[in-house]
Amino acid sequence: MHTARTFELNGIEMHCEVRGEGEPLVLLHGGTGAGSDWRYVFDEPLEGYRTIVPDLRGHGRSTNPAGTLTFRQVASDVLALMDRLGIERFKAIGMSLGAKTLLHVATARPSRVDAMVLVSATPYFPPRARAIMAQSNAETLTDAEWQVLRQKHVRGDEQIRALYAQLRALKDSYDDMNFTPPYLSTITARTLLVHGDRDPLYPVNLAVELYTAIPRAALWVVPNGGHVPIFGPMAPRFRETALEFLRAG
């Protein structure tokens, strides 16, 4: 079974694809990405899972009339989507934007998340990440990069420019991503942290901070891995490891 629907929730239109039957598994993409990115990781249907693959606020086919982006708000959108789908408890995989969103979901509503895989997550933005965010500008993109982004984001170039402006604005955000160890300790979901040891945004010590603070956490540091090291040659190994972890509980 494969259905695509658009839901009106939290003042936006959220596009979502639902595939297969079984236990709910939510897949949350990264910043400037879209739900379609997951085809590069999961190239076949996931047996035993009903996968829920949304385009997050302002990305892909989803809208964002407010023009601002916070991870807390995106988490609220995801929970509203689960409510609309009638899903109380679920497993999830998130990369970067999606992973930070899941930290908010799992702390705001611990009982909703059974297990999750967080790829390139962080408890807060370190100085190096803020410096990179400050350089976020759609006008510096190459023609090839524009072409790729236009295939993902169907609402025109202004949608893409808005996403880059929202990412740039995160350099001045201090309250949205500010997870302390006591707050992280309230997470009840089994959690696998996947982190590249060459991540230019979030040093690997931040993954260790998450691992230390989240009670039921496991940590996989990918050697020579950059930011979101799960594509290309790493995809099969990530797929096997993530699914094994999710099924272990």
Side-chain angles (χ1 to χ4, degrees):
M1 182 183 71
H2 180 185
T3 61
R5 297 177 60 185
T6 299
F7 297 88
E8 293 188 4
L9 50 87
N10 289 352
I12 68 170
E13 295 177 9
M14 176 175 269
H15 177 80
C16 177
E17 296 194 4
V18 180
R19 304 166 186 152
E21 298 181 357
E23 190 175 11
L25 174 60
V26 182
L27 304 179
L28 302 182
H29 63 77
T32 73
S36 58
D37 291 342
W38 288 106
R39 71 184 186 275
Y40 299 114
V41 180
F42 301 112
D43 51 1
E44 296 180 354
L46 299 179
E47 184 176 354
Y49 286 109
R50 178 190 181 195
T51 57
I52 297 97
V53 189
D55 288 344
L56 299 175
R57 174 176 290 250
H59 292 72
R61 298 179 181 275
S62 295
T63 64
N64 184 12
T68 58
L69 186 73
T70 69
F71 299 97
R72 185 177 286 106
Q73 179 62 66
V74 176
S76 176
D77 298 339
V78 171
L79 286 168
L81 176 64
M82 294 301 100
D83 290 343
R84 293 290 293 274
L85 292 172
I87 297 172
E88 178 61 28
R89 190 166 169 84
F90 54 89
K91 295 178 178 178
I93 304 176
M95 53 175 149
S96 195
L97 165 65
K100 293 187 280 289
T101 295
L102 286 173
L103 283 175
H104 276 288
V105 172
T107 47
R109 301 291 296 277
S111 65
R112 302 291 296 267
V113 188
D114 176 57
M116 60 183 182
V117 178
L118 307 182
V119 182
S120 303
T122 183
Y124 51 82
F125 294 134
R128 72 164 70 172
R130 295 183 188 279
I132 293 173
M133 291 169 186
Q135 303 303 315
S136 175
N137 188 343
E139 304 312 319
T140 64
L141 296 170
T142 66
D143 290 343
E145 289 169 331
W146 271 107
Q147 183 176 357
V148 171
L149 288 166
R150 285 167 177 152
Q151 292 173 351
K152 296 180 183 182
H153 309 293
V154 301
R155 299 181 181 274
D157 288 359
E158 287 308 306
Q159 179 187 16
I160 297 169
R161 290 189 175 92
L163 284 174
Y164 275 79
Q166 289 157 17
L167 291 176
R168 186 168 62 251
L170 290 174
K171 68 181 175 58
D172 299 318
S173 171
Y174 289 87
D175 62 340
D176 188 32
M177 292 301 300
N178 188 18
F179 287 94
T180 62
Y183 195 27
L184 291 168
S185 74
T186 65
I187 294 175
T188 59
R190 291 188 305 109
T191 303
L192 173 61
L193 300 156
V194 182
H195 209 92
D197 66 358
R198 300 291 187 271
D199 190 326
L201 286 169
Y202 312 132
V204 70
N205 66 284
L206 295 180
V208 175
E209 288 187 26
L210 291 170
Y211 167 71
T212 303
I214 297 173
R216 303 170 68 196
L219 175 61
W220 174 19
V221 176
V222 180
N224 298 311
H227 190 61
V228 192
I230 64 173
F231 293 107
M234 277 300 299
R237 187 175 176 192
F238 171 77
R239 182 168 58 243
E240 178 182 1
T241 303
L243 293 176
E244 181 181 0
F245 178 83
L246 291 175
R247 288 172 175 145

